[in-house]
Amino acid sequence: MAKIAIIGYGTVGSGVYDIVKKNGGTLVRSTEGETIDIKHILDIRDFDGHPEKELFTKDFNDILNDNEVTVVAEVMGGLHPAYEFTKALLEAGKSVVTSNKELVATYGTELLEIAREKNVNYMFEASVGGGIPIIRPMHQCLTANNIVTIAGILNGTTNYILNEMISKGKAFEMALKDAQEKGYAERNPAADIEGHDACRKIAILASLASGEAVDYNDIETEGITNVTLDDVKYADEMDSVIKLIGYAKFFENGKIYSTVCPMIVNNSSPLAGVNGVFNAIMVKGDCVGDVMFYGRGAGKLPTASAVVADIVDAVKHRVRSKHFFWEKPEGNIMAGDGEVAFSYFVRTTDSADMVSKVFGKCEFVDDIVPGESAFVTKKLTGTEAKEKLSKLGGAVSSFKILD
Ligand code: HSE
């Protein structure tokens, strides 16, 4: 019997408990006969009405010092004390599995190194894409490839909000409140709507893909708070939608470019049809071409499903580290989009003549807002785009267009 513990009994932690109780019989098949037994649940709150209230503790040492416990699910979120707890557990020779993307993106290099030294596992399938299998497939099934690009809808809350705005004309605040009530949003919703959550997730994927720690602080990040209903209507006019995209491009010289921003996505892209809380990640490998991963990116049971899969894997590999790993950074992340080319969609109050003078030949879009010129540029590097945009007196907004 494998004894495990859960740290944090919030949305995901209670989902882990429910799945282990509900599907324990099925899990035994995957653990090659070993049952999974939850021995402790750590949370600072009281759960007196819980059917197994005796499992709850407020003292982390009850888990750390229990030699029977070999695998711990850290699903409390946040950096502290999750970092201190995880480090102590790994150093004590226990495997840790987590949904905590902030922790993996910030301290992943160090925690993975400790897990490797101690021959235990630090697993984080639930940290990106909720219930979508993405970490293991990228690490194992795509290992024969050099990854060329990753483009993903990585935040369920913002995808849900944009979708409600587009399809139901719902106000931003109301859509956010719905997402919070459904358990999708972060405790501080700024993490969702300002793009920080998606930024942590693309940093984790880019680190896995490149084998180098990509520091999320180096990723240009813009959320959805400036996206207007007029922008959405223009996108529709171009047979496209606006999505918050986590993007990474890997160059042959080892350089990596990454950004999180609202992008124009043509309806011909499989990403365009990803709605509601669903996430999707398109990975292009140099051998396999495009592969898409799709599923529920947030919520109690989808996220807990990925955590429990890691628990099972950690139970099976208690005496052998699986070496999910990336090396220390070598400074390969590019500082901004200066040398990276995209087409741009631009709205301006300048005349079409002025636009043509600055941008040369470009494709105009029928105006939604009277008095505006709206157009699509040819491919420009970030440096070229900034230089040209600075010549327009009345630039309203501009968006990168996803290839
Ligand atoms: N707030 C996150 C989201 C939760 O909306 O996608 C899952 O990481």
Side-chain angles (χ1 to χ4, degrees):
M1 185 179 288
K3 303 275 184 195
I4 69 154
I6 300 172
I7 297 186
Y9 201 68
T11 305
V12 182
S14 58
V16 171
Y17 175 89
D18 290 353
I19 292 177
V20 170
K21 292 292 154 187
K22 177 171 164 286
N23 293 351
T26 317
L27 298 178
V28 169
R29 290 205 305 261
S30 306
T31 53
E32 292 154 13
E34 236 182 326
T35 49
I36 291 178
D37 183 38
I38 300 170
K39 191 165 178 198
H40 306 282
I41 302 174
L42 179 73
D43 201 293
I44 50 170
R45 295 165 295 179
D46 292 314
F47 291 91
D48 291 339
H50 194 280
E52 292 191 277
K53 61 176 192 280
E54 68 284 359
L55 297 184
F56 285 83
T57 176
K58 294 185 166 93
D59 185 355
F60 170 65
N61 290 313
D62 287 345
I63 296 172
L64 183 66
N65 299 329
D66 187 334
N67 291 333
E68 274 192 335
V69 171
T70 50
V71 178
V72 180
E74 181 275 298
V75 284
M76 66 188 304
L79 285 182
H80 303 286
Y83 165 70
E84 289 76 12
F85 287 175
T86 302
K87 192 170 169 176
L89 290 164
L90 293 172
E91 281 173 342
K94 299 181 196 299
S95 289
V96 179
V97 306
T98 189
S99 56
N100 190 337
K101 56 253 157 171
E102 201 182 352
L103 187 62
V104 177
T106 309
Y107 292 110
T109 309
E110 180 191 353
L111 296 172
L112 287 164
E113 178 68 45
I114 298 171
R116 187 156 79 159
E117 274 169 18
K118 294 288 175 185
N119 212 23
V120 292
N121 286 291
Y122 184 49
M123 292 176 171
F124 44 93
E125 184 62 67
S127 66
V128 180
I132 305 173
I134 176 68
I135 301 295
R136 221 169 248 92
M138 275 198 54
H139 183 73
Q140 293 176 347
C141 311
L142 296 180
T143 194
N145 291 261
N146 288 311
I147 303 301
V148 182
T149 52
I150 302 172
I153 294 170
L154 298 172
N155 182 267
T157 300
T158 45
N159 203 47
Y160 178 86
I161 292 172
L162 285 173
N163 198 221
E164 293 289 288
M165 286 169 74
I166 295 166
S167 62
K168 300 187 187 151
K170 205 179 254 184
F172 181 91
E173 291 303 335
M174 186 56 81
L176 172 60
K177 195 163 165 281
D178 283 357
Q180 286 170 317
E181 280 169 9
K182 288 185 157 75
Y184 304 154
E186 298 302 304
R187 262 176 287 183
N188 174 6
D192 294 302
I193 61 180
E194 302 293 353
H196 305 308
D197 176 72
C199 172
R200 267 73 171 166
K201 292 169 178 169
I202 193 68
I204 294 170
L205 294 181
S207 302
L208 263 185
S210 65
E212 289 176 20
V214 171
D215 186 340
Y216 63 82
N217 292 303
D218 294 334
I219 298 177
E220 280 187 328
T221 300
E222 181 192 336
I224 62 164
T225 49
N226 293 327
V227 177
T228 66
L229 282 176
D230 285 333
D231 292 326
V232 166
K233 286 182 196 154
Y234 273 113
D236 189 43
E237 189 71 28
M238 292 185 284
D239 192 25
S240 300
V241 285
I242 298 180
K243 296 284 186 192
L244 185 70
I245 299 291
Y247 181 85
K249 190 176 178 102
F250 305 87
F251 293 88
E252 279 180 10
N253 64 4
K255 293 279 179 200
I256 303 163
Y257 168 68
S258 186
T259 186
V260 172
C261 61
M263 287 192 189
I264 304 281
V265 180
N266 190 268
N267 283 325
S268 61
S269 163
L271 289 175
V274 176
N275 291 324
V277 71
F278 281 84
N279 283 192
I281 303 135
M282 293 269 290
V283 181
K284 188 193 280 293
D286 62 349
C287 304
V288 72
D290 283 324
V291 183
M292 171 136 151
F293 300 88
Y294 173 80
R296 287 180 197 279
K300 175 173 169 161
L301 292 181
T303 310
S305 145
V307 175
V308 173
D310 276 350
I311 291 173
V312 168
D313 207 8
V315 165
K316 275 168 72 177
H317 293 91
R318 262 184 301 203
V319 288
R320 188 164 65 83
S321 166
K322 286 199 74 184
H323 296 315
F324 285 100
F325 202 65
W326 51 72
E327 302 297 332
K328 298 249 184 282
E330 290 173 8
N332 269 336
I333 184 92
M334 295 164 86
D337 61 1
E339 299 165 49
V340 186
F342 286 94
S343 291
Y344 288 79
F345 166 66
V346 182
R347 292 171 56 192
T348 175
T349 52
D350 288 279
S351 67
D353 279 354
M354 179 64 179
V355 168
S356 300
K357 218 162 111 189
V358 175
F359 282 86
K361 196 168 170 344
C362 44
E363 206 179 302
F364 285 90
V365 181
D366 285 348
D367 63 339
I368 300 279
V369 179
E372 280 190 2
S373 305
F375 59 98
V376 174
T377 71
K378 62 178 186 189
K379 276 199 167 183
L380 301 168
T381 65
T383 305
E384 289 167 336
K386 274 185 196 78
E387 188 254 325
K388 288 181 190 297
L389 283 170
S390 71
K391 292 186 179 152
L392 292 183
V396 176
S397 58
S398 70
F399 293 89
K400 288 181 167 67
I401 298 179
L402 186 67
D403 268 343

